[in-house]
Amino acid sequence: FHHAVKRLKQWLSSGAAEEDMQVIDERRLQGFSHFMLKMGSASVREDIARIAILEKRYGDGIRLIADANQGWT
């Protein structure tokens, strides 16, 4: 069970949407479906734009999880 859960989630750096898409495309082929986005190193506006780009490309095909870790405080 632990192995199955681990393969569902992939952490992404606090990079740009283009970098995220490269990782997402590769990991989806390996069976990953949930992606945790490190947030808070850019402005809130930039973080929202990043999510919007990813949502537009992948729609409901993947799950995105925002991880700000006090980055927005």
Side-chain angles (χ1 to χ4, degrees):
F1 177 72
H2 181 264
H3 180 69
V5 171
K6 189 175 180 183
R7 287 189 50 82
L8 290 175
K9 195 183 302 179
Q10 172 69 44
W11 282 264
L12 300 172
S13 69
S14 53
E18 293 77 20
E19 295 169 4
D20 295 335
M21 288 186 278
Q22 288 179 330
V23 174
I24 291 169
D25 290 343
E26 291 172 11
R27 297 298 188 255
R28 285 181 77 196
L29 293 174
Q30 297 172 2
F32 288 87
S33 59
H34 291 63
F35 298 88
M36 183 171 288
L37 302 168
K38 299 241 182 236
M39 310 299 269
S41 62
S43 70
V44 173
R45 182 173 294 206
E46 291 171 315
D47 283 342
I48 292 170
R50 177 181 173 206
I51 293 170
I53 291 168
L54 297 173
E55 290 262 321
K56 183 176 182 181
R57 177 167 176 149
Y58 297 105
D60 290 334
I62 63 171
R63 295 286 177 240
L64 297 173
I65 304 160
D67 178 13
N69 282 345
Q70 301 178 7
W72 291 333
T73 57

